[in-house]
Amino acid sequence: MKLIFQPRYWNHINGWLLVLPAVFMISLFTHFPIGSNVFHSLFSMGTATRPEAFIGLENYKYLMDDDIFWKVLSNNLVYSLCTVPISIAIALCMALLINRNIRGRSLVRMAFFTPTVLPMIAVANIWLFFYTPEYGLFDQIFTVFGGDSHNWLGNPDSALYCLIVMVIWKESGFFMVFYLAALQQLSPELKEAGLVEGSGSWYYFRRVTFPLLMPTTLFVMVNAVVNSFKLVDHLVIMTKGGPDNASSLLLYYIYENAFSFWDTSYAATLTVILVLILAIITVIQFVVVEKRIHYQ
Amino acid sequence: MSKIILNDVCKSWGKIEALNNINFECENGELLVLLGPSGCGKSTTLRLIAGLETLTSGTVEIGDRDVSNLPPVKRNISMVFQNYALFPHLNVGENILFGLKARKVPKNEQKKRLENAATLLGLADFIDRKPAQLSGGQRQRIALGRAIVAQVSVCLMDEPLSNLDAKLRQEMRQEIRSLQQRLKMTMIYVTHDQVEAMTIADKIILMKEGCIEQHGTPEDLYDRPATAFTGSFIGNPPMNILTPDDLILDGLPSFPTPLAGSTIRYLLGIRPENIEISGESGIEGLVVAIEYLGADTLIVCRSGEQLITLTVKGKTGVSVGDHLRLNWKPEHIHLFNGEDGRRIEGLAGGLIS
Amino acid sequence: MKLLEIGIGKTAETLGAWMLGLLWLLPVVFAFWSAFHPAEYSTNFELFAPLTTDNFVRAWSYAPFPRYLLNTFILVTLILAAQFVLCTLAAYGFARFEFFGKNVIFALVLLQLMIMPEILLVENYRTISKMGLLDTIPAIGLPYMASAFGIFLLRQSFKTIPKELVEAAQVEGVSAVGILWKVYVPLSRSTYIAYGLVSVSYHWNNFLWPLVITSSVNSRPLTVGLAIFGAPESGVDWSIITAATVMTMAPLLLAFILFQRQFVQSFMHSGIK
């Protein structure tokens, strides 16, 4: 292939040739399956005796009446509402601490970041043991202080929150990195001006640092929300969504439907909902980002 | 009273010594310029006065009070930063009032001071704009506004004009000077631009490698440079610093002969504007370059191994390759010790009869 | 007085940071403790408890970890190589060519940032199955090879390269492909490193998609192998599971500890738009 700069149409052809392989692959595994999902959600599941048939919105009607779906969706909401703000707050604290000139700061930074590079599966294995009744670390600590043994993951009231704690641990360090990057881009002159002008640390944080980190917070927030819909690896190891779907999340429910119950058309229906949710998040992000005040 | 005194101030980072025994006083209402090439320690000195760096040793006094161990806010100063340190998310008014709000100055007092400052600086129409929507000069004014509303008598400026273009720089220079005089501020002003220093200062401190080279009025620095470095730093084009070799000595009948035979090595300084082209006497020089600047012309001559620059008014008939004879009056000669660069006082005048 | 207060504040900050750091490291430390001690010391923290590598030996003998490791290694390398090629070409196209429909196409590409292939696992499974690639290593990698994230990062990086450099090369008669190869790629080295590290850690750790697409030892990566190995019904005891867990995370963890600065900076770099 010889790329030529000069004539106008060559620019078009070259441009297209360059992006084509990647665009083809992306559409094959992103755009095509989105369409195909919508398509398959309108059909019934084919079986050996009965071929698949067009059933219109039947799957969606079923979905509306599916208690497990609503359970899973509300779980996902709780999961997002807990993990996102808390891990962002912790990430911000971590970044602020590390951005100070403290002793051993690269060690501390490493400690914070380590969970990020570990596979979720490995993390789930470790935490599974922490939550094990009687032998587990938490129960051992608990019994030392005279508490009773708990079946942390086996109890529908606590299972989801146990996972939330673990995910916060796993993700905070990742988000911290974005804050660190943003903090390093703030001019030290601003801090000095604040010092000369007599602003206390809290006042300075509230009036300057936090507002200036707003774009980062938005970026991290969108990432965190998307992650909370995407990250279900640990469920496979720790709870399998149970007990009684108390800790199940939307993507895990999709996975179960497709690969445990082999109901791919219902799984496709659920996927359409998940894609819709993600699309809404994207739109919200764009609107907010567009509205965001420009500076510099 | 807001006199600033530095006593034996030293600053080092580990083994690197940034400042070495700095002593000076800045009188009440004076505009003192810290001048020097980059890395000479002028900004460090300013930051030590502001309290943004800690002293290694020595003391800083502001208004008869030892402030060496006080944080910046307790020192009663205002400061204008090189990049203005404007908060990009706050509008002009909020930026100017940032410090007053932090210190919980009453609302109506804030309003009054903001109005005053805004009118004074011509920012009244821009109060609600964000810094990014304003020009460089206007941003500079916001930074000045912040210094004004603080209503403290000491103002520190760290290369405040270095981000402006040449024309604007000249305007703002005058504005800062008149503001300083009107508000009777004691101001310490850091710059690397000797023209800026000469035009704005009451007193100049020229620094080099962490030491004070000379402290005096602009006239002092120009007329009686204390070192060869001062001579070559102040004035444009810079002073010629010549090693008096035989060629130069031979060509100058008026030059003191006793010095020629003396054992100390010395340097001879002569400003380009003091060199004359004469018909018959003087040292010989071959013209190697000519720069026409409009009002005057710069001629660079080679004499033996050395280059000598001189300026003549208007356009000149000289062209490259010409041989000239250069001469200067004895009273224009500056003599410096060749070892440490210090001025040799009175010698030039005294020996020439 | 004031200085003393500042000193105390600073000490408190440092202490706080250290405590939090310790808390964050604890689970990892614990995993290593448990992996290197006999089962009865799993939760019994005696300083001089006997060390052992027995857990590793047994884990090794129960499951084909070397094979899993090899699979993961092949997978990560394959994905990274394909990503570099595809993303470089596409980023070049988007950064420096004007072509019909460019903005729309770019927006469509960015959609993948939000809707990752694992979200669409039902249909992607169908596609791979139709291609006849089920249970192969390339099948795990295929959906990720054209990465919107990589295209985005490289495009950003290419755009910051001064036009003058390109024009200088053009004047010298370098072809468009030559310019890509001799100007853009070398000058974006740090972006390639950053993206490479992020990509490797992502795919080393990726689980759900490989889980559904693989069904035999021949293609399973480490994470899937570990999950099957550690499943409660497998009846293997805890110390051995932690040993396997440590084995799974050790290569990446080791790389992270050795190149800590590089890692953190890479993640930072990839986060700045």
Side-chain angles (χ1 to χ4, degrees):
Chain A
M1 177 172 70
K2 188 171 162 56
L3 299 178
I4 303 166
F5 274 106
Q6 264 297 308
R8 273 190 112 193
Y9 61 89
W10 267 113
N11 236 335
H12 290 277
I13 294 172
N14 288 334
W16 267 102
L17 283 176
L18 284 166
V19 302
L20 203 63
V23 168
F24 171 73
M25 293 282 277
I26 289 178
S27 8
L28 185 63
F29 293 102
T30 303
H31 305 106
F32 169 70
I34 291 176
S36 145
N37 253 312
V38 176
F39 181 77
H40 282 110
S41 72
L42 303 176
F43 284 82
S44 70
M45 197 48 215
T47 62
T49 51
R50 198 159 42 93
E52 58 183 4
F54 182 79
I55 53 167
L57 295 176
E58 204 58 41
N59 274 325
Y60 291 91
K61 219 177 274 167
Y62 175 75
L63 178 127
M64 297 307 266
D65 297 329
D66 180 6
D67 289 340
I68 301 177
F69 166 71
W70 291 110
K71 173 76 187 161
V72 165
L73 195 63
S74 77
N75 279 348
N76 226 148
L77 219 62
V78 172
Y79 181 73
S80 304
L81 282 178
C82 290
T83 54
V84 174
I86 297 177
S87 54
I88 287 180
I90 293 178
L92 182 55
C93 286
M94 286 172 165
L96 288 171
L97 280 174
I98 287 180
N99 205 41
R100 297 296 190 94
N101 208 358
I102 58 165
R103 248 169 208 284
R105 94 189 218 209
S106 69
L107 268 177
V108 175
R109 188 180 62 183
M110 188 181 86
F112 289 161
F113 193 70
T114 301
T116 304
V117 295
L118 301 181
M120 194 62 177
I121 288 302
V123 167
N125 262 334
I126 298 169
W127 283 71
L128 180 64
F129 186 65
F130 290 171
Y131 289 132
T132 308
E134 290 179 56
Y135 300 106
L137 198 65
F138 285 152
D139 254 14
Q140 298 236 341
I141 294 170
F142 238 60
T143 41
V144 166
F145 292 103
D148 290 330
S149 166
H150 288 257
N151 189 356
W152 299 93
L153 293 173
N155 183 340
D157 294 331
S158 59
L160 185 60
Y161 295 97
C162 287
L163 300 183
I164 286 171
V165 170
M166 183 191 80
V167 169
I168 290 172
W169 174 78
K170 170 100 165 84
E171 299 235 282
S172 299
F174 179 53
F175 300 145
M176 166 197 79
V177 169
F178 300 117
Y179 277 120
L180 267 183
L183 281 172
Q184 283 180 5
Q185 290 192 322
L186 295 187
S187 139
E189 247 185 25
L190 291 184
K191 180 82 209 170
E192 287 170 355
L195 281 175
V196 172
E197 302 257 331
S199 63
S201 336
W202 171 242
Y203 182 83
Y204 186 79
F205 174 76
R206 196 164 52 83
R207 290 273 294 172
V208 182
T209 315
F210 189 70
L212 286 180
L213 288 178
M214 213 52 205
T216 312
T217 304
L218 271 175
F219 171 78
V220 169
M221 196 144 71
V222 170
N223 255 299
V225 173
V226 171
N227 267 358
S228 70
F229 281 97
K230 203 180 73 179
L231 203 62
V232 298
D233 299 359
H234 48 295
L235 293 178
V236 176
I237 293 279
M238 298 175 82
T239 63
K240 302 222 178 284
D244 194 18
N245 293 308
S247 64
S248 188
L249 301 172
L250 190 50
L251 183 58
Y252 187 76
Y253 189 48
I254 294 174
Y255 161 78
E256 266 190 327
N257 269 294
F259 300 100
S260 300
F261 315 147
W262 296 101
D263 186 351
T264 47
S265 79
Y266 189 52
T269 315
L270 289 166
T271 306
V272 171
I273 302 296
L274 180 52
V275 168
L276 268 178
I277 292 173
L278 291 174
I280 291 168
I281 296 169
T282 313
V283 170
I284 291 174
Q285 183 203 17
F286 268 103
V287 171
V288 177
V289 169
E290 285 305 305
K291 262 195 181 167
R292 186 176 91 202
I293 327 108
H294 290 273
Y295 32 80
Q296 279 165 8
Chain B
M1 277 298 283
S2 49
K3 190 168 161 178
I4 300 167
I5 305 172
L6 270 69
N7 285 316
D8 296 330
V9 165
C10 296
K11 175 69 186 174
S12 48
W13 281 280
K15 283 212 171 88
I16 304 157
E17 210 171 59
L19 291 178
N20 186 8
N21 251 349
I22 302 294
N23 284 289
F24 68 78
E25 295 187 5
C26 174
E27 297 296 335
N28 197 20
E30 180 177 293
L31 197 163
L32 174 72
V33 170
L34 296 177
L35 175 69
S38 59
C40 70
K42 55 192 191 304
S43 279
T44 307
T45 308
L46 193 78
R47 294 167 59 81
L48 283 168
I49 299 171
L52 295 170
E53 305 284 353
T54 48
L55 295 158
T56 305
S57 65
T59 58
V60 174
E61 287 174 36
I62 298 177
D64 293 329
R65 196 162 61 113
D66 184 351
V67 297
S68 311
N69 292 319
L70 293 181
V73 56
K74 296 271 172 72
R75 296 191 179 197
N76 258 327
I77 50 158
S78 61
M79 185 160 176
V80 174
F81 292 85
Q82 185 168 8
N83 301 308
Y84 319 140
L86 302 180
F87 302 111
H89 61 298
L90 301 180
N91 69 27
V92 173
E94 290 167 326
N95 256 300
I96 293 179
L97 292 177
F98 183 84
L100 300 190
K101 282 186 175 154
R103 273 169 288 181
K104 302 213 167 61
V105 172
K107 276 261 155 37
N108 49 354
E109 175 68 18
Q110 286 183 21
K111 195 163 168 255
K112 211 172 76 195
R113 290 199 205 174
L114 174 63
E115 270 166 19
N116 273 340
T119 353
L120 202 61
L121 295 165
L123 283 173
D125 297 335
F126 308 108
I127 291 296
D128 296 321
R129 299 263 188 98
K130 292 274 161 59
Q133 295 166 291
L134 300 178
S135 70
Q138 287 164 329
R139 283 185 220 176
Q140 168 73 70
R141 287 198 175 89
I142 307 175
L144 286 176
R146 209 146 66 176
I148 292 170
V149 293
Q151 293 195 351
V152 290
S153 47
V154 175
C155 180
L156 307 176
M157 300 213 158
D158 191 2
E159 308 232 12
L161 305 181
S162 60
N163 286 331
L164 301 177
D165 62 48
K167 194 165 173 297
L168 204 54
R169 206 170 341 179
Q170 196 181 353
E171 266 173 51
M172 288 305 297
R173 189 161 84 198
Q174 287 159 4
E175 210 168 308
I176 290 175
R177 177 57 160 163
S178 75
L179 215 59
Q180 179 261 339
Q181 285 175 333
R182 193 142 35 124
L183 303 174
K184 299 194 172 52
M185 285 194 267
T186 306
M187 186 178 279
I188 298 189
Y189 185 109
V190 165
T191 182
H192 63 269
D193 180 348
Q194 56 100 9
V195 179
E196 204 171 297
M198 295 295 275
T199 48
I200 205 174
D202 290 315
K203 292 274 182 63
I204 295 177
I205 290 181
L206 179 67
M207 296 180 70
K208 183 193 171 198
E209 288 162 11
C211 296
I212 293 181
E213 202 72 358
Q214 189 167 0
H215 179 177
T217 62
E219 294 76 25
D220 286 342
L221 267 74
Y222 182 81
D223 294 337
R224 299 177 63 76
T227 61
F229 173 76
T230 311
S232 61
F233 198 85
I234 303 284
N236 185 25
M239 181 185 270
N240 295 294
I241 305 289
L242 305 174
T243 317
D245 54 19
D246 292 342
L247 203 72
I248 288 175
L249 293 177
D250 286 350
L252 290 174
S254 63
F255 203 75
T257 37
L259 254 181
S262 89
T263 47
I264 59 159
R265 229 165 53 73
Y266 58 94
L267 298 168
L268 184 151
I270 180 81
R271 295 206 176 273
E273 53 272 36
N274 296 138
I275 302 179
E276 297 154 9
I277 301 172
S278 64
E280 58 287 354
S281 66
I283 63 165
E284 220 174 285
L286 169 71
V287 178
V288 292
I290 293 174
E291 285 178 35
Y292 173 61
L293 301 174
D296 36 33
T297 304
L298 258 158
I299 302 173
V300 184
C301 296
R302 182 191 298 281
S303 173
E305 290 300 298
Q306 307 194 59
L307 290 178
I308 303 174
T309 307
L310 63 143
T311 49
V312 291
K313 286 268 160 274
K315 225 172 151 62
T316 166
V318 179
S319 51
V320 174
D322 288 358
H323 287 271
L324 298 178
R325 278 193 170 272
L326 309 175
N327 205 348
W328 48 75
K329 295 201 178 79
E331 64 262 33
H332 287 138
I333 294 174
H334 305 264
L335 275 185
F336 303 103
N337 186 323
E339 304 302 319
D340 58 9
R342 300 234 146 254
R343 182 182 189 83
I344 300 173
E345 272 306 340
L347 201 54
L351 285 169
I352 297 159
S353 45
Chain C
M1 196 52 211
K2 194 77 199 167
L3 279 178
L4 192 70
E5 273 171 44
I6 293 169
I8 290 170
K10 180 117 187 159
T11 316
E13 258 172 24
T14 311
L15 263 168
W18 277 84
M19 297 291 283
L20 198 62
L22 213 61
L23 189 70
W24 240 245
L25 219 46
L26 221 53
V28 182
V29 173
F30 171 77
F32 274 86
W33 169 276
S34 179
F36 283 102
H37 288 94
E40 57 268 35
Y41 290 98
S42 281
T43 53
N44 191 358
F45 303 108
E46 277 175 34
L47 195 56
F48 297 109
L51 288 168
T52 177
T53 51
D54 194 37
N55 298 323
F56 288 92
V57 176
R58 283 166 65 196
W60 200 270
S61 70
Y62 288 166
F65 278 104
R67 181 66 211 233
Y68 293 155
L69 184 66
L70 179 71
N71 289 344
T72 294
F73 190 78
I74 295 172
L75 171 71
V76 168
T77 317
L78 185 72
I79 292 180
L80 192 64
Q83 280 176 336
F84 274 179
V85 173
L86 288 172
C87 297
T88 300
L89 292 178
Y92 187 40
F94 283 124
R96 282 294 145 87
F97 288 86
E98 290 306 324
F99 54 88
F100 178 73
K102 173 172 147 175
N103 292 332
V104 179
I105 298 287
F106 189 60
L108 283 174
V109 165
L110 289 188
L111 186 70
Q112 199 211 39
L113 287 179
M114 279 295 183
I115 299 165
M116 301 284 288
E118 56 258 39
I119 302 269
L120 304 162
L121 52 87
V122 182
E123 294 303 319
N124 282 338
Y125 180 87
R126 211 190 288 265
T127 308
I128 294 289
S129 151
K130 277 187 188 144
M131 293 166 121
L133 288 175
L134 282 180
D135 198 26
T136 61
I137 292 176
I140 311 174
L142 265 178
Y144 296 96
M145 284 176 179
S147 145
F149 181 57
I151 295 173
F152 180 79
L153 273 188
L154 286 173
R155 172 180 165 270
Q156 288 301 86
S157 170
F158 287 173
K159 281 194 142 184
T160 60
I161 289 166
K163 257 215 146 97
E164 283 156 52
L165 282 178
V166 178
E167 281 161 2
Q170 266 175 282
V171 169
E172 299 280 329
V174 184
S175 70
V177 175
I179 286 171
L180 172 61
W181 190 240
K182 288 188 188 130
V183 180
Y184 284 100
V185 173
L187 285 175
S188 307
R189 222 186 107 214
S190 66
T191 308
Y192 280 101
I193 294 175
Y195 176 63
L197 281 177
V198 174
S199 167
V200 166
S201 4
Y202 188 92
H203 291 287
W204 192 283
N205 297 341
N206 201 11
F207 173 69
L208 196 64
W209 172 248
L211 174 71
V212 304
I213 213 74
T214 61
S215 53
S216 73
V217 172
N218 296 330
S219 61
R220 263 180 208 144
L222 266 177
T223 47
V224 178
L226 176 66
I228 291 168
F229 180 72
E233 56 271 23
S234 67
V236 184
D237 82 48
W238 166 252
S239 302
I240 298 173
I241 293 177
T242 36
T245 306
V246 166
M247 275 196 279
T248 309
M249 60 192 196
L252 210 55
L253 197 60
L254 193 72
F256 168 60
I257 290 167
L258 288 179
F259 304 105
Q260 198 228 127
R261 179 168 287 276
Q262 187 64 255
F263 256 86
V264 174
Q265 237 125 47
S266 293
F267 276 79
M268 269 189 199
H269 182 108
S270 59
I272 303 166
K273 289 206 181 182

